[in-house]
Amino acid sequence: MKVVIVAKTRMRGGACIGALTFDGRSLRLIAKDQETNNNFNMDYQVGEVWEVEVSEDAQITPPHVENVIVQRKRRLAPMMKIDQFIEKQMPPLPGGVEVIFDGLTQPTSTGTLYIAERNGLPSRSTIFWRPNQALRRDDDRKRIRYRYPTGDGGRTLTFVGFQRPVSEIPAGTLLRVSLAHWWRPREKPEGELRCYVQLSGWFPYKIPTKPQPVPAQRIQKRTYENKIPEIDQVLNQVFGYQDFRHLQREIIANIFRKQDSLAVMPTGSGKSLCYQLPATLLPGMTVVVSPLISLMEDQVLELREWGIPAVYLNSSLTHSQYLETLARIKSGQIKLLYAAPETLLRPETILLLKKCRVECFVIDEAHCISEWGHDFRPEYRQLAGLRAQLPQAVTLAVTATATQRVRQDIKKSLLVSDANEFISSFDRKNLVLSVVDKIDALEQTRDLIDAHKGQAGIIYCSTRDRVDTLSEQLQMLGYPVLPYHAGMESDARRRHQHRFRYEEGIIMVATIAFGMGINKSNVRFILHYNLPKNLENYYQQIGRAGRDGLSADCLMLYSYGDIATIRYFIEQEDPKRRSGSEHRLKTLLAYTDTHTCRRKPLLSYFGETYEKDDCEACDNCLHSGTEHLAAGLELTGDESGTQQVDLTTPARQYLVCVKETGEIFGMMHIINILRGSKSKKVLGKGHDRLSSYNIGLEYTKKQWRYLAGQFIRQGLLRRVQPHGSLELTSVGEAVLEGKKVWGVVPGYITKPTASKVDLEYDSDLFEQLRSLRTKLAGERELPPYVIFHDRTLTEMAAYYPRTSEDMTRIYGVGKHKLEQYGPHFLPVIKAYCKEKEIEPVNVPSMSIAQAKTARGRKRTQYIWERFQAGDSIQAIASELGFASSTILNHLKKAFVSGKPIRLDGLKDASELSQADEKGVMKAFEEFGTYRLRPVFDALDQTASYDQLHIWRLIYRITTE
Ligand code: ADP
Ligand code: ZN
C-alpha cells in the first residue's frame, strides 16, 4: 500500500514514524527487527510517499493503536502538497487546546496533559490540530516544550519532532499531535492509566480557508411521508411480526417526516425496530452510534438474517475487515451502519459519511450525552456537532434510562422539541418480580436454576470473591455456570461472554461488570444473590431478562447483612454525597419491604404511577389471597403460588421471648432459646428458666430465621444498631394483645415463582427444534437466538406449521428467514407430526392463544366475552385449563370494572337448592362478603366454598 510520511519523532536511537494512507488511516510504522537495526526508521523523511507491505502488530503497545510492522518498503517520490493531502485525508480539528483528543485529555497541575484510560485503549493516538492561538516556546532543561495560553496558566506540550524548533508557532498552523507512553502515577498504583500528549510535528504551509459549515436548520430536509402506508407490510414480511408495539408506529412516522425525536423506552420494548424498519425503506443509509460492541454485532447479525444489509465499524475489526467494510459502504449497498462513537468521530469516517447519503442518524444509549447520567461519555457530546455535517439526516435518540434532568439535557443538546419526545411506560409486564429472605442462599439458588433447567440466566453478586466461590460451588454441582468480573483476565472475560451469547443455557455468575450490551433475547432468570446498590441499577440488571417478551423470573435474596454492608459503605462516603446514597438505600428498602404490588415503588422511582392493584407478575400480587385464606381456603387455579397462613402463634412466641430477655439480644439468641438450646450463652444467662424456653420446636432453626425475618419486615420488631438487638414496636405490642399476623409458611417460599410457560406447546418438538437451531447456529457461527427466538420455536411447537404459508404466521418469521430456514425446520415438523400422527391444525386459533398468553386485563376481557356470549364457566375453564374459581375471579374483576355479568350463567353453575340459596343470600346480608368463613359456618358448612364463590358474586351483582 501507498503511504505518506507525516511525522518522525525521536525515539532513543531511532525514530518513530507516523504515516497516513490514501484512504485516511493513520499508521505508526515499526521496523521488523528493532535490535539489529540501530538507526532504524531513519531512512524515512516527512513528506515522502512510500510503498510498504505491512502486517498488523499483534502486540500493540499502548497507547499506539495504529502500530503496524513493515515487512518490506520502497521509497516512491516526495509529495508536494502534504498539508492539502492531510486536509483531505484526516481533516485537522480547529480550536483551542481542548479539542485535542477532546474530552479524553485532562490538564494536570503542572500544565502537562494526559489522557485518562476510560475504555481500555484510546481508539487512535494521532490527530491534526490547527490551534486558534499561537504556541510559545517554553523549554525546561531537558526538553523542547511549547505552551498554549489558557486562563489558568496554560498547557504545555513537549515537542518530539525532528524539525528545528521555532520560538513561536503561529495560530492556524497545521500541527500533528500524538500520545506518548502509557504510565501510572507511582503514588497511585490503582489509579487510571494515562499518557502524555505531545507535539510531533508541524507543517508550515499555506492555511487553506476554512469551509463554512452550513447551519443544519436552513437545509430543507427531504421527507418521505409517502412511505408511511408501507410500514405495516414491512413489519409483517420482513420482520415477521403482527403488530407494532406501543409508540413504534409514531416514532417511525416521525422519522419519515424528518422530525428529530427522542424515544425513552425500557429495555426489550422494541426501540431498535423504530429505526431498523425505516432504514429498509429510506433511500441511502441509516447510521447508528452505539457504545456497545457486542450489541452492534448482534444487531448486525440479526439484520442480515432478516435480509437487511448492515455492517459495523469499531475497534474489533482487523484492518482488512475494516477496508472491506469501507468498500461496501462506499458501494452504496448498505442500509444500516453501526459505529462506536470514537470511530464515527474520526475525520476519515466523517469524510466517508459526507459522501454517502445518510438519511437517518440514530444515537443509541443517548443518556451518555448527559453529564447528569451515570454513563456520561465525552465523545457523545461531539455527536451533536457531527449532525451539522449531515444536514440531510433526521436524528433519533433512544435510551432506556433517563431521568427528567437527563432527558432535558439530551433534548437541549440535540435540539429536540418536547413534541417529539416519546416516553413509554417503564413497566416490563413479562418480568416476574420477587424478593425472598436469604435463608440458605445456595439452596435457594439451586431451586431457581432447577426451575429453569436448560435456560440461560444471570446471577448477580456484590463482590468478586463471592462470584468466584459461588461459581465454583455451582460448577461442582454440575451446573453450566461461568464467572464474570472485572478482576478476571480480559481474555477469559471475553470467552465467557462469548459462550453466554453463543451457547444455550449458560448461567453467568457475575458482578455488575457484566451485562452492558447483552442483547441475548432469552435470558430467563436473574437472581440477585446480594442486594443491588440501588433501584436504578436493579432495574437495569433485571432489564436484561426476557427481551423476547416471554416471562422471566427476577428473584432478589434479601439479607440484613447486605443492608449493613451498604450502610457501612455509605458511612465511609464523603458527607456531601451521603444523603443521596441514603435516599437511594431508602427507596431500595421501600421496594423490598412493600406489601403491595412491587411495581408501585419500582415505577414510582422512575416517576411513574402504577395504577393497577394487581400486576399478576410479582410475588405480592401472585400470593395475595388473604381473602380466600381468611375463609380457610387454599388458593386454587393456575395463578396461586405460595400460601399465606396465620402466623400469629409463632409470632407471639417470638415476641414474648424478646420481651422476656429484656430486648437486648439478637435474632439467633432468641431462636436458640425457643428451640431449647443448651448453649453456654443460654444456660449462663439462665434463659432456660424462661416461659418461652423450648416452646418453639415445631420449626427448625432455619425456619425460625425465616419467620423472624418476616416479623422484622412486617414491622413487629425493629433492629437496634450497632449490635442488631431486637426491640418490640407498637405493632409488635398489638400482636401480643391479639392482633393477627399473616405470612408465608417457612420453607415453602424458598421455591421461586417458576416462570409460567406462556403458551402450551409440545416440549418434545420444541427440544428437536432447539437442537436444530443450535446446529445451524454452530455451522453459521451465529448466536442461536439470532436465527429464531425462543418465542418463535415455542409457537412452532404449538401450531405445527407444515407449509411456508403456515410458517409466515409464526412470530418472527419474515420472508428472508423463511427462505433461509424454512427448508430446515419444516421437514422436522412434518416428520414429527407424521410419526406422532398429529392432525393438521389449520390456522392457529389466535384468540385462544392470546387469552392464554396475555396476563391481566386481556385475559379477563377474553373470559368475560366468552361468558357473556353464552359459554358456561365450566366450558371456559376446561378450554383454558384453569380452575372454575379462576374463571369466577376474572368475572369478579370484570364486574368490579363496571361490566355487566350474565346472572343466569352464574345460576347455571349453582348446585344449591332454592332454600339453601335463600339462606346463603341472608348470610351474606348479615356477615358481608369480605370473608367467606362466617357464611360457611352460618350455613353449618353445607355449602361448599366453590358454591359460596358463585353466590357471593351473585349477591354483589344483585345488591350493588
Ligand atoms: P430494546 O432495544 O428496546 O431493548 P429490542 O429492540 O432489542 O429492544 O427489542 C426486543 C425484542 O422485541 C427484539 O427481539 C425485537 O425483534 C422484538 N420486537 C420489536 N418490535 C416488535 C414488534 N412490533 N412485535 C414483536 N416483536 C418485536
Ligand atoms: Zn404486583
Side-chain angles (χ1 to χ4, degrees), residues 341-353:
E342 314 80 75
T343 316
L344 204 61
L345 291 166
R346 276 154 82 149
E348 64 270 27
T349 318
I350 296 175
L351 216 68
L352 172 73
L353 294 185

Side-chain angles (χ1 to χ4, degrees), residues 51-86:
E51 171 82 42
V52 289
E53 214 172 280
V54 301
S55 57
E56 298 289 328
D57 181 9
Q59 281 177 314
I60 286 179
T61 37
H64 303 295
V65 287
E66 294 97 345
N67 276 10
V68 289
I69 298 169
V70 178
Q71 302 295 350
R72 212 165 299 149
K73 64 179 199 267
R74 184 161 68 97
R75 178 185 281 117
L76 296 178
M79 174 173 270
M80 295 317 289
K81 294 182 173 159
I82 182 171
D83 58 331
Q84 284 177 23
F85 176 77
I86 293 169

Side-chain angles (χ1 to χ4, degrees), residues 224 272 288 416 483 502 509 522 535 614 655 765 831 876 959:
Y224 296 93
S272 329
V288 185
V416 170
Y502 281 76
V509 182
N522 55 350
L535 273 187
D614 180 0
L655 295 173
L765 177 56
I876 303 171
T959 55

Side-chain angles (χ1 to χ4, degrees), residues 9-245:
T9 60
R10 290 171 199 288
M11 209 175 80
R12 271 163 265 132
C16 170
I17 302 302
L20 208 71
T21 66
F22 279 70
D23 54 15
R25 197 172 166 228
S26 169
L27 297 178
R28 188 168 172 266
L29 307 181
I30 317 214
K32 225 174 6 185
D33 46 357
Q34 303 194 357
E35 281 113 50
T36 54
N37 189 348
N38 268 340
N39 278 341
F40 71 89
N41 283 344
M42 291 310 277
D43 36 359
Y44 297 100
Q45 295 305 324
V46 171
E48 287 173 348
V49 184
W50 284 69
E51 171 82 42
V52 289
E53 214 172 280
V54 301
S55 57
E56 298 289 328
D57 181 9
Q59 281 177 314
I60 286 179
T61 37
H64 303 295
V65 287
E66 294 97 345
N67 276 10
V68 289
I69 298 169
V70 178
Q71 302 295 350
R72 212 165 299 149
K73 64 179 199 267
R74 184 161 68 97
R75 178 185 281 117
L76 296 178
M79 174 173 270
M80 295 317 289
K81 294 182 173 159
I82 182 171
D83 58 331
Q84 284 177 23
F85 176 77
I86 293 169
E87 192 74 42
K88 184 151 159 263
Q89 297 303 340
M90 206 168 159
L93 298 170
V97 73
E98 70 283 351
V99 305
I100 304 181
F101 296 93
D102 183 82
L104 289 178
T105 53
Q106 298 171 15
T108 65
S109 52
T110 57
T112 318
L113 288 161
Y114 67 78
I115 164 168
E117 180 208 37
R118 283 182 196 274
N119 303 302
L121 292 178
S123 61
R124 57 196 162 129
S125 72
T126 64
I127 54 165
F128 291 93
W129 174 36
R130 284 194 192 280
N132 57 2
Q133 295 187 69
L135 274 74
R136 290 201 68 87
R137 191 162 164 183
D138 177 24
D139 295 356
D140 66 0
R141 239 176 297 148
K142 281 188 286 188
R143 286 165 294 225
I144 305 162
R145 310 203 308 173
Y146 282 91
R147 198 156 183 82
Y148 176 93
T150 62
D152 55 350
R155 304 278 173 266
T156 308
L157 296 162
T158 301
F159 179 71
V160 292
F162 276 78
Q163 283 135 313
R164 169 114 54 93
V166 287
S167 60
E168 183 181 298
I169 300 175
T173 309
L174 179 57
L175 299 178
R176 184 174 182 269
V177 179
S178 52
L179 300 180
H181 70 266
W182 218 231
W183 61 285
R184 209 194 292 272
R186 196 167 303 152
E187 67 283 4
K188 261 208 263 170
E190 260 103 56
E192 76 271 52
L193 283 162
R194 42 189 77 176
C195 51
Y196 293 108
V197 178
Q198 59 194 14
L199 267 185
S200 42
W202 62 75
F203 303 87
Y205 298 94
K206 193 174 101 251
I207 302 159
T209 47
K210 220 168 53 184
Q212 287 297 313
V214 190
Q217 275 72 14
R218 248 186 276 148
I219 292 211
Q220 270 289 321
K221 289 185 188 177
R222 186 162 166 213
T223 67
Y224 296 93
E225 275 164 281
N226 59 332
K227 302 277 185 193
I228 297 175
E230 293 173 43
I231 63 179
D232 289 278
Q233 208 186 353
V234 174
L235 181 72
N236 227 286
Q237 295 191 346
V238 178
F239 295 90
Y241 299 140
Q242 300 283 333
D243 307 297
F244 282 106
R245 292 197 184 150

Side-chain angles (χ1 to χ4, degrees), residues 747-800:
Y748 192 177
I749 200 161
T750 51
K751 287 262 180 305
T753 321
S755 309
K756 289 171 192 116
V757 173
D758 304 51
L759 176 69
E760 256 169 53
Y761 62 90
D762 188 324
S763 53
D764 291 339
L765 177 56
F766 180 85
E767 280 314 317
Q768 286 194 17
L769 298 176
R770 188 154 85 150
S771 48
L772 173 61
R773 178 177 70 176
T774 310
K775 183 177 140 256
L776 294 172
E779 289 165 6
R780 289 164 173 72
E781 294 181 26
L782 291 172
Y785 53 90
V786 162
I787 294 185
F788 282 135
H789 288 178
D790 281 8
R791 170 121 179 238
T792 306
L793 300 191
T794 308
E795 287 203 0
M796 287 183 192
Y799 301 128
Y800 309 102

Side-chain angles (χ1 to χ4, degrees), residues 433 596-600 610 613-622:
L433 312 171
T596 62
C597 176
R598 295 210 184 273
R599 287 183 155 71
K600 286 181 190 290
Y610 189 72
D613 285 322
D614 180 0
C615 74
E616 303 192 37
C618 80
D619 48 358
N620 287 341
C621 291
L622 290 170

